[in-house]
Amino acid sequence: MKKLLTSILLSVLSFSLFCQNITSDAGMTVPENRIRTSSEGFASEEFRRGVQAYYRGAFNEAIVQFEKALSFMPDDSLILDWLGKSYYKSGLEGSALSYWQAARDNGYGGILLENKIEVVRERRVTGDSSDKLMKLSEAGSYPGFFNGNMIYSGPVSVLPNNDGTFCFVCYNSNNLLKMNQNGFVVERITGPLNGFDRPTDIIRMKDGRLLVCESAGNRISVLNEKGRFIKYIGQKGRDNGGIIGPQYLATDSLERIFVTDFGNRRVCVFDSDGNPLFYFGGKTSYFDGLKGPTGIYILDESVFVADSIAGCIYEFDRAGNYIRELVEKKTFKKPEAIKFWNGSLVLCDQNKIYAVDPQTGALFEYVHTGNAPSRVTTAAPDINENLIVTDFTANEVYVMSKLSELVGGLFVQIEQIDSSKFPEITLEVKVENRHRQPVVGLMEQNFLITENKQPVQNLKFIGSASNNTQADITIVIDRSKGSILHKTEIETAVKEVAANMNNQGVLRIVSASKIPVTEYVGSPSLVRNFSLDALKNPLSDTVCVDLALRLASNDLINADKKRAIIFISAGSSDAISFENYNLSELTAYMCNNSIQFCDIQTSRDAVSSQIDYICRNTNGRSYYVYRDQGLSEVVSNIIQTPQGVYQLKFVSSMMTNLGDKYLPVETEVYLLNRSGRDETGYFAPLQ
């Protein structure tokens, strides 16, 4: 009998310890050294289900589960945090902020949660362009000499790439370098067999070919997209097609090549194959002529040319006819390259970088490099909304960023955790700046992953979503009664989008009427003979576009990382209704789940204010179905849109308690002088 009582007592004690472990394992903030109550047990189970639903992309289900868990433990900070995450991903940022603030008031989260609340609260005011003209500060630099070894010499011009890397030509070392965000040289290109001869500029054609201007060689080298030499354009001379001391390059919408010819004091124009067309910039009865042409940029129908001797910017049309003096003479000392960023021309002038309004010529000083010897020659915007600046005299390449970005740091979110193959864990980490702009070009060395503050084992960088070459697209078709008048245009738009997906990715078609209907899910190739007559949804006086966009967004949550909704709008904008979902919350739902929204119009009517709002705030665009360029760019623009989503894999060393334990994981991201952090957790599979 005594042995039986002892056995029972040991069993009770073991059960008590098991319950205590299960409580802390599930993440609930239950005081130690006591058995959890039944309410805490129910909360733990609902919390676990909520975390699993969240990682499946079922955010509404996660909200329900976390609400249930919160009903059992109303003040639990971890549940409040996760409930805030779920509302954020659902686009309900106001509710997310309220739950995060409640957790913060409980003393939970520290500076990390405070920063998240601040960033999300600031982001809720979208479409604000008031910080476009803002002083820039150095975020990092890549010197030409490192540990006594020369990496490059005399950087003159830079060409940022969509993957976060950038190419720049070096005048003194006669080569072309490709460098990543961490300052590592990825590739070094020396050009043809006889090499480059004092390269001064590099640009990219639409087909991927690279053009390198060679000042001393009096020619332009044409390279393929991998940097292999193809041919030369131009030769030394004064006749048409002749160039002496060429400086900078530009192309127009027709792919014609414009080069500033310093020696001949003119601008020479070639067709896309390199055949000479004409030149301009000479003296006329109403124009004194170019004295020392350097930088050049083509914006719409205008050609802007900087003159280093006159110290100004001239404007011509694309045929070479002089229009005006955009910036008056002697404004600049030695102007160099001209690029375009945030609605302004960006011009380098010795130790300064200016923003120039292309309409008025008004100036704003972005950067002053100081009184040290400096000659900045090119400032080009990269995919991360920085300026990459070449300094010829200092022999350095700088990364210039807005001060608010440097102070605010990076906004890092652990999007998904796949623990199905535990202990192997796969993470998806999203990295943005404070204004929703993705940060592209990160590598494994930019990430520190820890579990319960301890570095993980066998960390491997799988890849970046920005490198994906396909996209999942949902086409939402307007089914208002007025759309019947645009049957041909709608069918044309659907067929062109499907054809340009090149049989890659998944295409969905949603018809927008009073109630949205998913009409098709599958391969784009099966939609090339699309007909409106095949749609099941009837025409309606009122089109609930918000319901259709919500349905389309739901289906894209677990789609390819490059994903978009294309709304084909027809008929009267009066038929479009946004009554069921708040416009800002609908837009936030797309933004917080990396869904781009584009609009294809079947008529030249003005875009409705609601559609325009969503386009602008999801990095989308509006297209006319019969635009001169066609609709081929719609899909390519979606695929080229940067995505700051990264996948990493590691082996967990945590104990799971048969899958009941909440396993914390943290990530820190470092890039030059900026950093960001996120903390979350997951559950291993039940055993």
Side-chain angles (χ1 to χ4, degrees):
M1 186 68 179
K2 185 176 181 181
K3 289 183 178 180
L4 179 61
L5 288 173
T6 303
S7 176
I8 292 172
L9 287 172
L10 287 173
S11 298
V12 171
L13 180 59
S14 298
F15 179 75
S16 169
L17 291 173
F18 174 75
C19 289
Q20 178 183 329
N21 285 334
I22 241 334
T23 300
S24 58
D25 292 344
M28 303 296 99
T29 51
V30 178
E32 296 183 359
N33 301 321
R34 75 166 177 82
I35 302 174
R36 67 178 180 182
T37 65
S38 59
S39 294
E40 292 162 355
F42 289 133
S44 173
E45 184 59 32
E46 299 297 346
F47 176 76
R48 189 181 193 283
R49 291 173 181 166
V51 171
Q52 291 174 324
Y54 180 92
Y55 288 135
R56 289 198 312 270
F59 304 124
N60 290 339
E61 180 185 341
I63 289 172
V64 171
Q65 299 297 338
F66 291 135
E67 292 279 13
K68 287 181 180 178
L70 201 62
S71 68
F72 294 113
M73 297 182 66
D75 294 322
D76 189 272
S77 297
L78 188 61
I79 300 175
L80 290 170
D81 183 21
W82 273 92
L83 193 52
K85 290 180 183 179
S86 301
Y87 274 114
Y88 175 78
K89 295 291 282 185
S90 295
L92 304 175
E93 294 179 338
S95 298
L97 288 169
S98 66
Y99 283 110
W100 283 334
Q101 189 59 54
R104 182 70 194 97
D105 292 342
N106 290 342
Y108 173 87
I111 296 177
L112 181 62
L113 185 55
E114 282 184 10
N115 181 67
K116 182 187 290 187
I117 292 171
E118 178 188 345
V119 170
V120 173
R121 186 173 288 147
E122 180 182 324
R123 282 179 169 189
R124 296 189 74 199
V125 183
T126 55
D128 181 16
S129 60
S130 60
D131 65 342
K132 284 187 176 180
L133 292 179
M134 179 181 289
K135 285 283 188 178
L136 304 180
S137 183
E138 184 181 321
S141 66
Y142 311 108
F145 285 84
F146 184 74
N147 289 338
N149 299 315
M150 187 189 79
I151 303 172
Y152 60 84
S153 178
V156 182
S157 181
V158 62
L159 175 66
N161 302 314
N162 285 337
D163 62 358
T165 63
F166 55 91
C167 301
F168 59 99
V169 293
C170 303
Y171 186 87
N172 294 335
S173 50
N174 282 322
N175 55 11
L176 163 62
L177 270 66
K178 183 178 181 181
M179 187 174 282
N180 66 20
Q181 291 277 328
N182 298 304
F184 294 107
V185 175
V186 178
E187 190 174 5
R188 191 184 300 269
I189 298 170
T190 56
L193 288 176
N194 56 338
F196 294 125
D197 195 354
R198 303 304 183 189
T200 54
D201 197 14
I202 177 173
I203 62 171
R204 180 182 288 109
M205 305 285 281
K206 288 182 180 178
D207 60 5
R209 287 179 299 160
L210 301 174
L211 303 181
V212 177
C213 188
E214 299 182 52
S215 180
N218 302 304
R219 65 200 179 201
I220 301 169
S221 284
V222 182
L223 314 177
N224 67 15
E225 58 185 4
K226 295 183 178 180
R228 303 296 177 261
F229 177 77
I230 299 175
K231 65 178 181 179
Y232 289 122
I233 293 176
Q235 70 283 326
K236 184 176 181 180
R238 298 190 180 277
D239 296 331
N240 190 22
I243 47 180
I244 300 176
Q247 297 292 296
Y248 293 97
L249 300 162
T251 58
D252 65 4
S253 59
L254 299 176
E255 288 279 84
R256 296 184 301 179
I257 302 164
F258 291 65
V259 55
T260 50
D261 183 349
F262 192 90
N264 288 321
R265 299 184 177 185
R266 65 190 185 188
V267 175
C268 296
V269 184
F270 302 83
D271 67 16
S272 60
D273 293 323
N275 301 309
L277 296 176
F278 61 94
Y279 56 85
F280 64 90
K283 186 174 182 178
T284 65
S285 57
Y286 51 89
F287 177 51
D288 291 338
L290 294 170
K291 306 301 182 186
T294 51
I296 183 170
Y297 191 83
I298 301 173
L299 181 62
D300 299 326
E301 297 299 318
S302 297
V303 181
F304 297 97
V305 180
D307 194 310
S308 62
I309 295 177
C312 65
I313 298 177
Y314 297 115
E315 182 179 354
F316 302 84
D317 65 20
R318 292 196 304 164
N321 299 306
Y322 174 74
I323 297 177
R324 61 171 172 160
E325 189 178 271
L326 178 66
V327 180
E328 64 183 18
K329 294 181 180 65
K330 302 305 178 184
T331 299
F332 308 114
K333 295 179 180 178
K334 291 288 182 181
E336 296 277 353
I338 303 177
K339 300 297 180 181
F340 189 76
W341 186 46
N342 284 337
S344 299
L345 301 173
V346 180
L347 178 136
C348 295
D349 183 31
Q350 288 194 329
N351 61 349
K352 295 180 180 179
I353 302 173
Y354 291 100
V356 183
D357 190 305
Q359 302 299 324
T360 65
L363 302 181
F364 176 83
E365 186 181 292
Y366 271 138
V367 175
H368 188 298
T369 60
N371 296 323
S374 176
R375 181 187 167 194
V376 291
T377 51
T378 302
D382 73 352
I383 198 72
N384 293 326
E385 285 294 298
N386 304 310
L387 282 183
I388 309 296
V389 181
T390 53
D391 190 325
F392 183 84
T393 300
N395 199 39
E396 281 193 84
V397 176
Y398 310 117
V399 179
M400 297 289 184
S401 302
K402 296 171 184 174
L403 190 59
S404 60
E405 297 297 336
L406 295 178
V407 173
L410 303 172
F411 189 65
V412 179
Q413 302 166 79
I414 299 176
E415 294 268 284
Q416 284 189 344
I417 299 180
D418 180 5
S419 60
S420 60
K421 297 180 181 179
F422 189 88
E424 184 179 278
I425 303 298
T426 302
L427 285 181
E428 278 188 6
V429 182
K430 187 176 183 179
V431 185
E432 301 173 308
N433 65 14
R434 296 175 68 89
H435 302 292
R436 294 192 194 274
Q437 294 161 338
V439 176
V440 175
L442 303 182
M443 304 298 290
E444 182 177 326
Q445 55 264 40
N446 297 108
F447 293 86
L448 172 63
I449 309 295
T450 58
E451 280 188 311
N452 205 17
K453 309 299 188 293
Q454 297 299 315
V456 299
Q457 301 176 13
N458 301 327
L459 179 64
K460 293 181 180 179
F461 182 85
I462 300 176
S464 166
S466 263
N467 296 330
N468 292 7
T469 56
Q470 67 180 45
D472 285 355
I473 295 175
T474 298
I475 297 176
V476 177
I477 299 176
D478 178 0
R479 293 292 284 162
S480 63
K481 288 186 176 178
S483 66
I484 197 67
L485 301 174
H486 302 276
K487 182 175 186 292
T488 302
E489 290 88 343
I490 294 174
E491 291 176 348
T492 298
V494 173
K495 291 175 184 177
E496 283 203 45
V497 170
N500 286 300
M501 289 180 70
N502 296 321
N503 203 27
Q504 293 183 314
V506 176
L507 177 65
R508 296 172 175 84
I509 296 178
V510 172
S511 56
S513 189
K514 278 189 177 180
I515 302 296
V517 174
T518 301
E519 305 275 359
Y520 175 81
V521 179
S523 170
S525 62
L526 300 179
V527 187
R528 292 184 178 179
N529 295 319
F530 172 79
S531 172
L532 271 182
D533 299 332
L535 298 183
K536 303 180 183 116
N537 215 354
L539 299 175
S540 174
D541 291 324
T542 302
V543 175
C544 296
V545 177
D546 52 350
L547 292 179
L549 297 185
R550 188 78 185 189
L551 173 62
S553 299
N554 291 341
D555 291 340
L556 288 173
I557 294 298
N558 293 315
D560 195 283
K561 297 308 170 188
K562 290 191 174 179
R563 49 209 182 195
I565 297 171
I566 299 175
F567 179 50
I568 303 179
S569 56
S572 172
S573 60
D574 296 336
I576 294 177
S577 169
F578 285 85
E579 295 180 356
N580 300 281
Y581 286 95
N582 181 290
L583 187 62
S584 63
E585 292 175 349
L586 186 63
T587 306
Y589 186 42
M590 296 183 196
C591 287
N592 296 343
N593 291 285
S594 303
I595 299 172
Q596 187 180 164
F597 177 81
C598 299
D599 174 49
I600 296 179
Q601 297 174 266
T602 58
S603 65
R604 290 191 178 275
D605 297 337
V607 181
S608 73
S609 58
Q610 298 100 323
I611 298 300
D612 179 63
Y613 177 88
I614 302 175
C615 275
R616 284 188 292 106
N617 290 289
T618 59
N619 203 25
R621 303 184 188 183
S622 184
Y623 305 86
Y624 174 53
V625 65
Y626 291 134
R627 64 201 294 262
D628 294 338
Q629 307 93 319
L631 296 176
S632 60
E633 289 185 355
V634 178
V635 175
S636 61
N637 286 340
I638 291 170
I639 293 174
Q640 290 169 12
T641 298
Q643 289 286 351
V645 178
Y646 301 87
Q647 222 176 48
L648 301 102
K649 184 168 62 175
F650 65 90
V651 176
S652 175
S653 58
M654 302 285 286
M655 300 295 293
T656 69
N657 277 10
L658 304 179
D660 249 344
K661 185 175 183 180
Y662 179 77
L663 307 177
V665 62
E666 309 87 30
T667 181
E668 292 187 41
V669 180
Y670 304 91
L671 177 61
L672 300 175
N673 294 335
R674 290 188 287 173
S675 64
R677 178 182 173 84
D678 191 24
E679 297 179 355
T680 188
Y682 65 96
F683 290 92
L686 288 171
Q687 297 177 9

